[in-house]
Amino acid sequence: MKLERLARSAALALLTTIAIVLPAVERDETTAFAQTSDAMSGAFALEEEFVTIAMLPGANLRDIAAEYLDDPDLWPIILSLNDISDVTEIVEGQELQLPTSQLQTAVKALAASLESIQLANEAGAQLFAPILIRNAITLRDEAIREKQNGVYKESILLSSRSIDRAESARKKSQENRDVEAEARLSDRQGWVEGQKIQENSWTQRELNAVLNEQEKLRTLSSSTAQVVFRDASRLRLNANSQAVIERMRADPLQRSEDAQISLVQGDFYALLASESNRNRLEVTLPNADATIDSGSFWVSQDQSGAKFSNFDVKPVSVTAAGETTVLGRNEGAVIRNGSAPQEKVNVQGRVHLVSPDEGAVIYGNDAELVWESTEGGEQYWVEIAYDPRFDRMSKSLFGIEGARVGNLELDPGSYFWRVAAIDGFGLPGQMSTVRKFEVRFDETPPFLNILEPGPGAILRRASVTLEGETEPGVEIRIDGDSPEVEPDGRFSHVVEATEGENSVTVTAIDKAGNETQRIAKFTYLRDDNANVAFDGALIRDERGRFLTASDILTLSGKVIADAKISILDAGGAIRSETYAEPNGAFLVNIPLADDTEDLAIRVTSPSGHTYEEPLQAVVLDTAPAIRFSSPPPLVTSQPLLQLAVETDQPSSVVVNGREASAKDGAAHIEIELQQGPNLIETIATNAVGLVTIDKRTVIFDTEAPTITLQNIEVTPKGDTAIVSLNIGASDASGLAKTSRFNLRSGDQQHSGVLRFNKIRKAYQGSLEIPFGEDDMIFEIEIADVAGNVNNLKLVQ
């Protein structure tokens, strides 16, 4: 053994009179300590060996300790060996005795004990043999102290004992690292049976039952079972499947597990924990074996043979008939009995789920799941679980024909579902994304109450607003219409009454299909004289509110002759009153207390019949603000100007005397521009006549700039020449700040930039070119701010 060799090399090789003897077999900690102590007492026969040196002039005791004892801090040992109490007692020329071979042996023995302790700790001694390894460490610490004190014989003896304890700790640790692991039946649906090695028959397995090595597990029709290992890896046996846990070992030190599963028949899906230290999982079948590195795979076994699908980037290695096939991600293979694995194929891709939508609520137990059919997907595998990890399965439906499944008969609660396509080989593909839905049972009719009109109400207007309340999310039906239900359950609907008694049926239908009906009964007695006919000239907004530019609102119209007109505020107090003329005409001025007020007009006929109608008044005393969606340009070369005008309140917009048309929240108009400056006058007028005017000028320019000066000078400069350009130009709308020019001479071409000099009213620039070029052709582009261009070509 390595430890024995280390121990012997530490003593026997360096000191022939010293031997280190290790026990051949492991002993308990107390016995080992006693026997080793006796053995080591007789094993060491040490001779005192010293060297004598003289204290030379200028010598230092620490330097002597470093040279002879390999440690300058061991100088106190020199004093102790020579019976010197203080360094001041040493004189020049004094002889000192120093140890030699015993110190070297002690150093080597300490090194050997340290390596023995390290090897034991690597084997898990701190976990499996804590007392032994602590003894070994303690003995080595004592050996270090004895060495430092110069008692080398005792230091070597203690190091040997330390080696013995460490070796015993290592052996004990190795024996305890390979232990049988356990698994748990974390989920079961339907009838699940098991048979341990000591049992003679199959018995039902309860939820969370502990599973051991050599235990058999099987599922019957419409049942599934999920086995969870201690590292959170899990596999699920589908219906009519049988498996045997052949081996299940755990290493507590490395926190790893090693398992072997034998699939007798049926199929299972496995999902191994990605963070696990599991070396690998082995799967054995009647005619094939598989070594699994994959974290997600499916395997099946029937009378015809075995099938594998791998969904992970890590491989699945399948061996049959002496040949091995390695499956990568989203690959599958079929192994017929007695044959080698067939050529691997790509499994089906993800299925797209259609309905129900994520988070949908399904009422009743006839839930239906729908997905998109896939090319090559001859059947489908549908899983329904109580949790998104599919640890608690509700249903596992393998071999579904078509792209839907219904009549699932699920109990109320939340469910998660996913689908995989199965190809013509019987290999399932990738699972779809997961969706959640909820099943509810609801046989209670929804709440429904009619608020207006009240029971036995007598109404004077044919247009009746029916108001009520129900539960949020309920559908209301009234005479074939479905009015909107507010989030608080309130609803309203206008019906036209007929003379006399009226009955209106209101039906509330909840999402589960339960219905509640109520009948609203009221009497309509027409009273034409009570109707208020306001003048059409009165200004009102789109909500019917009366508008005024001051704090006085004037109302006029017609009612029954000689009727009393009362205007009431929100609290019911009379704000203003008048009487109608014999022809029914009336006019009333109403002082307003706020910018917006809720009022009511009460009409009392000479017979005493009273009719009251609500109205609203709004003070609109600010002119509208004008804003252009895109501000008109100062200069343009386009003959048509498109304007979109927005206002902060409903207003009519007139541009240059023409009314703009409203569209998408703005007023739109197209203006035809004339050459030169064009005045654009925009007038916005609100409902009460307040006006805002915007004036601005747009210059329409389609004429190119005029060239007023053309001057080109060429000045020689050694091998080159300076070409200076001075191009005068003018334009009514203004000129661009820069212009580009190209110079061609023979095969040579040069380009430059001209900058407009406002003082000289000319574009100026220069360019250095090789001297001697002839027939220079200048191409100059002069543009105005409207984008009109005058292309100038000059020959020099």
Side-chain angles (χ1 to χ4, degrees):
M1 296 174 61
K2 181 179 179 181
L3 291 176
E4 292 174 325
R5 291 196 302 271
L6 289 171
R8 297 182 191 281
S9 65
L12 292 174
L14 298 176
L15 185 61
T16 57
T17 58
I18 301 174
I20 300 176
V21 181
L22 296 177
V25 296
E26 179 187 3
R27 293 157 296 191
D28 62 53
E29 300 177 23
T30 303
T31 304
F33 182 89
Q35 292 180 353
T36 304
S37 177
D38 296 339
M40 302 312 293
S41 298
F44 284 88
L46 303 177
E47 275 187 23
E48 296 289 344
E49 294 187 8
F50 297 93
V51 61
T52 301
I53 66 170
M55 194 68 176
L56 300 177
N60 183 289
L61 199 59
R62 287 181 57 83
D63 294 338
I64 295 173
E67 180 180 354
Y68 290 92
L69 305 184
D70 296 326
D71 189 345
D73 292 331
L74 295 182
W75 60 269
I77 294 177
I78 299 176
L79 296 180
S80 176
L81 289 175
N82 291 274
D83 295 326
I84 301 174
S85 60
D86 191 88
V87 293
T88 58
E89 298 178 7
I90 303 176
V91 297
E92 183 177 324
Q94 181 176 348
E95 290 186 346
L96 300 176
Q97 285 189 325
L98 304 178
T100 56
S101 60
Q102 287 190 19
L103 173 61
Q104 296 171 359
T105 303
V107 171
K108 294 295 184 180
L110 282 172
S113 67
L114 176 60
E115 185 166 355
S116 298
I117 291 171
Q118 290 174 341
L119 291 174
N121 282 332
E122 290 175 2
Q126 296 288 349
L127 179 63
F128 302 110
I131 297 177
L132 279 172
I133 197 64
R134 281 201 300 270
N135 284 341
I137 294 172
T138 300
L139 288 169
R140 187 175 186 278
D141 290 342
E142 292 176 1
I144 292 173
R145 286 193 296 271
E146 294 299 332
K147 170 183 170 292
Q148 292 174 339
N149 292 329
V151 187
Y152 302 117
K153 178 179 178 181
E154 185 65 21
S155 175
I156 296 169
L157 183 63
L158 291 170
S159 294
S160 300
R161 292 177 179 174
S162 175
I163 293 171
D164 174 53
R165 299 301 187 281
E167 174 65 5
S168 299
R170 185 185 65 82
K171 289 181 178 180
K172 184 175 181 180
S173 299
Q174 288 177 337
E175 291 178 356
N176 284 279
R177 283 188 54 181
D178 184 22
V179 297
E180 180 181 347
E182 294 178 345
R184 180 172 57 88
L185 182 63
S186 64
D187 183 51
R188 47 159 290 171
Q189 299 297 321
W191 190 268
V192 178
E193 295 180 337
Q195 184 179 13
K196 295 184 182 295
I197 191 171
Q198 68 271 21
E199 295 177 339
N200 296 322
S201 60
W202 294 90
T203 57
Q204 185 179 4
R205 286 293 181 262
E206 300 295 336
L207 186 65
N208 291 320
V210 175
L211 309 176
N212 305 107
E213 280 187 342
Q214 298 300 313
E215 184 163 354
K216 301 176 182 178
L217 194 68
R218 70 182 180 186
T219 58
L220 304 184
S221 298
S222 302
S223 64
T224 65
Q226 178 167 278
V227 178
V228 173
F229 299 92
R230 291 195 300 185
D231 65 351
S233 298
R234 52 197 171 105
L235 63 84
R236 179 173 293 278
L237 282 175
N238 289 317
N240 299 312
S241 299
Q242 179 179 335
V244 181
I245 303 175
E246 300 285 0
R247 186 181 73 255
M248 190 165 46
R249 289 280 150 179
D251 184 342
L253 181 64
Q254 297 295 332
R255 297 181 180 178
S256 64
E257 292 189 13
D258 185 21
Q260 180 182 13
I261 308 297
S262 175
L263 181 62
V264 180
Q265 67 177 20
D267 68 292
F268 70 78
Y269 172 77
L271 189 65
L272 306 186
S274 59
E275 70 275 10
S276 170
N277 291 321
R278 177 194 304 278
N279 292 325
R280 62 183 51 195
L281 173 67
E282 295 181 6
V283 177
T284 61
L285 300 99
N287 291 285
D289 294 320
T291 300
I292 311 295
D293 292 313
S294 168
S296 177
F297 67 94
W298 172 89
V299 60
S300 76
Q301 174 69 46
D302 56 23
Q303 294 180 351
S304 64
K307 300 172 184 177
F308 287 86
S309 289
N310 181 26
F311 310 113
D312 193 12
V313 293
K314 294 183 178 180
V316 171
S317 299
V318 183
T319 301
E323 295 187 15
T324 299
T325 293
V326 178
L327 302 180
R329 185 176 187 181
N330 298 326
E331 291 183 338
V334 177
I335 300 93
R336 302 299 179 190
N337 288 336
S339 302
Q342 297 182 6
E343 183 179 354
K344 57 186 178 183
V345 298
N346 293 325
V347 300
Q348 291 284 300
R350 292 186 184 276
V351 176
H352 176 68
L353 306 183
V354 176
S355 68
D357 293 330
E358 171 66 21
V361 177
I362 299 175
Y363 292 90
N365 61 359
D366 57 347
E368 182 182 58
L369 308 179
V370 182
W371 56 91
E372 289 184 0
S373 56
T374 60
E375 183 178 354
E378 298 191 0
Q379 293 180 324
Y380 297 91
W381 179 13
V382 181
E383 287 191 325
I384 305 172
Y386 298 104
D387 66 293
R389 281 172 44 89
F390 288 76
D391 282 335
R392 297 183 298 114
M393 193 70 67
S394 173
K395 293 182 183 295
S396 180
L397 309 174
F398 198 94
I400 296 295
E401 303 284 348
R404 67 178 61 236
V405 61
N407 300 319
L408 294 172
E409 298 183 354
L410 300 173
D411 293 330
S414 295
Y415 294 90
F416 298 84
W417 67 292
R418 62 187 180 185
V419 180
I422 304 173
D423 62 18
F425 297 102
L427 298 172
Q430 305 172 61
M431 278 292 179
S432 68
T433 56
V434 177
R435 280 193 186 176
K436 179 183 179 181
F437 67 91
E438 183 180 352
V439 174
R440 295 180 186 172
F441 285 1
D442 184 1
E443 298 179 353
T444 303
F447 167 78
L448 178 61
N449 184 32
I450 305 299
L451 300 175
E452 294 290 343
I458 299 176
L459 307 177
R460 301 289 178 175
R461 297 182 60 183
S463 183
V464 178
T465 299
L466 192 151
E467 298 181 2
E469 57 183 354
T470 184
E471 301 170 8
V474 167
E475 180 185 3
I476 294 294
R477 295 180 184 174
I478 304 174
D479 293 340
D481 295 326
S482 296
E484 181 179 356
V485 178
E486 300 295 332
D488 61 357
R490 307 273 291 201
F491 64 89
S492 64
H493 184 67
V494 177
V495 297
E496 294 298 322
T498 58
E499 193 76 19
E501 293 186 356
N502 289 260
S503 296
V504 179
T505 300
V506 182
T507 304
I509 307 173
D510 64 17
K511 292 184 178 180
N514 303 303
E515 295 186 7
T516 298
Q517 283 191 347
R518 296 283 187 267
I519 298 178
K521 293 184 177 182
F522 56 90
T523 300
Y524 167 48
L525 297 178
R526 185 169 55 188
D527 187 354
D528 292 335
N529 295 329
N531 291 338
V532 180
F534 291 103
D535 283 343
L538 295 177
I539 302 173
R540 306 175 80 165
D541 63 11
E542 69 279 358
R543 295 167 55 184
R545 300 181 301 177
F546 292 97
L547 306 178
T548 178
S550 67
D551 58 358
I552 300 294
L553 174 66
T554 299
L555 296 180
S556 60
K558 280 191 175 184
V559 293
I560 187 173
D562 301 321
K564 181 181 180 181
I565 310 298
S566 303
I567 304 299
L568 312 178
D569 63 15
I574 296 176
R575 182 73 62 85
S576 184
E577 281 189 331
T578 190
Y579 284 88
E581 300 293 333
N583 63 356
F586 74 92
L587 185 146
V588 61
N589 292 321
I590 309 162
L592 301 177
D594 206 344
D595 289 343
T596 301
E597 281 203 83
D598 292 324
L599 305 171
I601 181 169
R602 179 189 293 164
V603 179
T604 306
S605 66
S607 64
H609 173 73
T610 300
Y611 170 75
E612 193 171 297
E613 182 177 324
L615 60 90
Q616 286 185 306
V618 176
V619 177
L620 197 61
D621 57 359
T622 59
I626 293 176
R627 186 177 71 86
F628 292 95
S629 300
S630 296
L634 297 176
V635 181
T636 181
S637 61
Q638 301 299 319
L640 296 178
L641 176 64
Q642 306 287 343
L643 293 179
V645 184
E646 300 175 357
T647 58
D648 62 344
Q649 53 184 272
S651 306
S652 64
V653 177
V654 175
V655 181
N656 288 2
R658 292 170 50 212
E659 186 171 358
S661 58
K663 180 182 178 183
D664 299 330
H668 298 265
I669 195 169
E670 182 179 82
I671 303 298
E672 184 176 354
L673 301 176
Q674 302 298 320
Q675 193 74 22
N678 291 261
L679 175 64
I680 307 299
E681 183 181 62
T682 305
I683 302 174
T685 307
N686 67 7
V688 297
L690 298 178
V691 174
T692 298
I693 301 176
D694 179 274
K695 292 184 179 182
R696 58 187 68 202
T697 299
V698 176
I699 298 175
F700 174 46
D701 183 7
T702 59
E703 296 179 356
T706 301
I707 305 301
T708 62
L709 176 65
Q710 304 174 9
N711 184 23
I712 300 175
E713 295 181 358
V714 180
T715 304
K717 186 182 177 182
D719 293 336
T720 62
I722 303 298
V723 179
S724 300
L725 289 85
N726 188 29
I727 309 297
S730 65
D731 189 87
S733 61
L735 292 166
K737 293 181 178 180
T738 61
S739 173
R740 298 190 62 84
F741 72 89
N742 291 321
L743 168 59
R744 288 187 292 109
S745 178
D747 296 334
Q748 300 295 319
Q749 183 167 330
H750 310 278
S751 62
V753 177
L754 301 177
R755 289 176 172 78
F756 187 69
N757 188 320
K758 291 184 178 181
I759 298 176
R760 299 181 179 275
K761 297 182 179 180
Y763 286 94
Q764 296 178 328
S766 61
L767 181 68
E768 186 173 0
I769 63 174
F771 183 73
E773 294 187 359
D774 297 325
D775 297 330
M776 291 184 289
I777 301 174
F778 294 87
E779 295 176 346
I780 306 171
E781 182 183 275
I782 305 297
D784 61 17
V785 294
N788 303 304
V789 177
N790 190 339
N791 291 308
L792 182 63
K793 185 174 183 179
L794 302 176
V795 178
Q796 181 71 20

